[in-house]
Amino acid sequence: LAAVLFVVVGPVPILAVLTVKLFGLRGAVAAGIVLMAISPGAPIALRRAIQAGSGPGFAPTLLLAIVMLAVVTVPLSVVVMGWFFSVRFAISALDVARQVFFAQLLPLGIGAALRAWRPGMAARLEPRLAAISNLMLLMLIALCLVALGPRIAAIGWAPVIAGMGLTLCALFVGTIFAGRDASVRPAAAVAAAMRNPGLALLIAARNAAPPDVTASVFGYAVGLAGVIFGFLAWRKWRYDGAVLEPASK
């Protein structure tokens, strides 16, 4: 757990800074990439980790540890990045705590309480709620593309490409740091790669960042989503192949 938490808050932001510096990215593009890199614990990370084949015990523990640790690491990361890039960005621990509580801890608590109180009802509701949430996520992406399309076109594809590249690197680093435990490695890879756009946008809003920063954050999120989708598809293909291969023989 400690090794994976280190990957989430350490190497990924460092890789983002190196990417920004190496390719000479500036302004809103660089800000959006860095804000995403320092914002861990996406609300959908738990579902994606389980879809990737993670054990049901480690993935929730890891997610809870990440979002609680974010209350400390995100404000500190904002201060460090502000100093490094000579900008005046700040976010309070209370703002971060409020965001992760209402976006993640409260829904998880309600779900856990319902499963403990009415397990049969929870089992019936789970697939329906999953389908509804997937549909809502697709609708949100479509609306963001319509609303932010012109700004994304104006700033270019750098955030999307950075999101794809950094996500691939994070998947690899997370897998390496997880060791050889097959039930831990998928959760570690997904946790290291997934970033929280809502938290990144909160930091941007609290510091009155220009609208192009929002477009950059969304561009990173699009690149991240594409890589995670491919990773999950690869895991499913590999897992199904491993299960079906003995039967075919």
Side-chain angles (χ1 to χ4, degrees):
L1 180 63
V4 178
L5 289 175
F6 169 75
V7 173
V8 172
V9 302
V12 175
I14 293 173
L15 286 172
V17 171
L18 292 176
T19 299
V20 167
K21 292 295 186 179
L22 181 62
F23 292 97
L25 302 177
R26 300 179 181 276
V29 172
I33 293 171
V34 172
L35 288 181
M36 280 290 283
I38 65 174
S39 301
I44 61 173
L46 177 57
R47 287 182 58 197
R48 298 296 179 259
I50 294 175
Q51 289 174 353
S54 176
F58 182 74
T61 303
L62 177 60
L63 176 66
L64 290 173
I66 289 173
V67 297
M68 290 189 291
L69 190 62
V71 177
V72 177
T73 62
V74 171
L76 181 60
S77 297
V78 170
V79 172
V80 173
M81 293 301 172
W83 171 81
F84 190 83
F85 289 99
S86 300
V87 295
R88 294 184 178 180
F89 266 36
I91 188 77
S92 70
L94 180 61
D95 285 333
V96 177
R98 187 183 298 113
Q99 198 273 347
V100 299
F101 174 77
F102 285 106
Q104 300 188 61
L105 297 180
L106 181 60
L108 281 173
I110 293 173
L114 180 60
R115 183 175 292 278
W117 181 48
R118 289 287 189 271
M121 180 186 297
R124 291 192 300 271
L125 288 176
E126 184 175 359
R128 301 174 186 176
L129 292 176
I132 292 172
S133 65
N134 287 333
L135 178 61
M136 293 176 65
L137 180 60
L138 290 174
M139 293 174 61
L140 175 62
I141 293 173
L143 289 173
C144 288
L145 284 173
V146 172
L148 298 174
R151 291 194 179 275
I152 294 175
I155 65 175
W157 290 96
V160 179
I161 297 172
M164 295 175 65
L166 290 172
T167 302
L168 283 170
C169 292
L171 287 171
F172 176 75
V173 176
T175 301
I176 295 299
F177 271 73
R180 298 181 179 181
D181 192 334
S183 65
V184 170
R185 295 177 74 179
V190 172
M194 295 295 289
R195 302 285 110 180
N196 190 341
L199 191 52
L201 293 176
L202 174 66
I203 300 171
R206 285 288 185 271
N207 292 275
D212 284 349
V213 175
T214 300
S216 180
V217 167
F218 182 70
Y220 187 113
V222 169
L224 182 153
V227 173
I228 292 295
F229 177 81
F231 175 72
L232 294 177
W234 172 76
R235 288 279 308 180
K236 185 176 186 303
W237 169 80
R238 183 180 181 184
Y239 176 78
D240 290 348
V243 171
L244 294 175
E245 186 178 356
S248 65
K249 293 181 178 179

